[in-house]
Amino acid sequence: MTHPALEVVVVRAPRPAPVGECRFRFPDPRAADADGLLATGGDFEPATLLAAYRQGVFPWPIDGVDLLWWSPDPRAILRPDGVHVSRSLARTLRGGRFRVTIDAAFDDVLAGCAEPRAADDGTWITPAMRNAYGRLHRLGWAHSVEVWADGALAGGLYGVAIGALFAAESMFHRVRDASKVALVALAQHARAVGVRLVDVQMPTPHLTSMGAVAVPREHYLQALAEAVACPVNFTPERV
């Protein structure tokens, strides 16, 4: 099922700023336990977060403990050319209801992702994480994809871009299909700028329905090493 290309407007296009050296040394990600937990402690400084992503590690707090670091096996990825668009989603895309931007409202997307889900009274996006990713965004490393309907924010996603890697962190929707549109827009933009690897961490049913696949951690780490070495600008002024 084909659909027209989305118009994706990049609103903010800074070059990533230097962040200095990480003060910590992460263990080999292959040393993570059966659940994927690799390490505890550290901090949320920009250099720490970027060092983690470069090594295939991401933060994910549990039960109020912010500083937990994970490297699951298998790892879920979304290939930029492998997004699955259902017939109903294709109709939605052709309908032209949604408008898509990049980096127009990062803080609002982060807040939307942090809202408790209907089936869950809490959120894993703690205030410390919100502050950390907001700082990464201001430094030019973290980005958001916004989906708008009737002038209001309908959904979106955010993540971290390093070279040809986009490490997607979370997404949300307030209007049906808005998060799916954000994912389609991310894949389209990734192809346009040269991103090779979209990390979505865990193979949830929703992500699997959109084309995410689970790969062995070793395969992910090999693809990651190649991706972060590529000189890709995620937000060029023109795409």
Side-chain angles (χ1 to χ4, degrees):
M1 177 64 67
T2 60
H3 60 85
L6 292 165
E7 181 181 359
V8 179
V9 178
V10 176
V11 174
R12 182 175 176 269
R15 289 279 184 172
V19 298
E21 296 294 325
C22 177
R23 299 190 299 121
F24 307 98
R25 177 171 296 187
F26 285 95
D28 188 321
R30 300 167 186 84
D33 68 17
D35 293 324
L37 179 61
L38 177 69
T40 63
D43 58 34
F44 281 147
E45 288 297 306
T48 306
L49 286 169
L50 295 179
Y53 286 112
R54 285 190 173 101
Q55 295 172 65
V57 180
F58 60 86
W60 186 16
I62 292 181
D63 295 331
V65 182
D66 276 345
L67 292 167
L68 298 177
W69 303 91
W70 304 79
S71 178
D73 187 14
R75 190 67 165 256
I77 64 170
L78 184 70
R79 297 184 175 91
D81 60 355
V83 174
H84 173 67
V85 177
S86 67
R87 287 184 172 84
S88 62
L89 181 56
R91 286 194 295 270
T92 296
L93 295 171
R94 288 196 298 270
R97 178 184 182 187
F98 294 114
R99 181 172 63 90
V100 181
T101 56
I102 289 178
D103 287 348
F106 183 89
D107 290 340
D108 293 334
V109 169
L110 194 56
C113 291
E115 292 171 355
R117 304 299 196 257
D120 188 356
D121 293 332
T123 176
W124 61 268
I125 303 176
T126 64
M129 292 188 73
R130 289 179 65 171
N131 290 337
Y133 285 91
R135 187 177 177 187
L136 270 186
H137 172 65
R138 292 187 292 275
L139 289 168
W141 294 94
H143 303 279
S144 56
V145 177
E146 301 89 16
V147 178
W148 307 85
D150 303 320
L153 186 63
L157 60 82
Y158 77 97
V160 176
I162 303 174
L165 164 75
F166 187 85
E169 275 294 314
S170 186
M171 59 184 177
F172 81 103
H173 72 277
R174 294 172 181 151
V175 176
R176 181 178 178 179
D177 284 343
S179 62
K180 294 180 181 179
V181 173
L183 207 56
V184 173
L186 171 64
Q188 176 184 302
H189 183 75
R191 293 194 301 271
V193 300
V195 166
R196 300 179 183 178
L197 181 63
V198 177
D199 172 26
V200 294
Q201 301 178 352
M202 306 295 288
T204 66
H206 173 64
L207 290 169
T208 300
S209 73
M210 293 291 294
V213 296
V215 299
R217 179 170 54 214
E218 191 62 38
H219 291 184
Y220 173 77
L221 294 175
Q222 292 172 6
L224 173 69
E226 296 175 2
V228 297
C230 293
V232 172
N233 181 7
F234 187 77
T235 51
E237 293 184 3
R238 296 179 182 273
V239 178

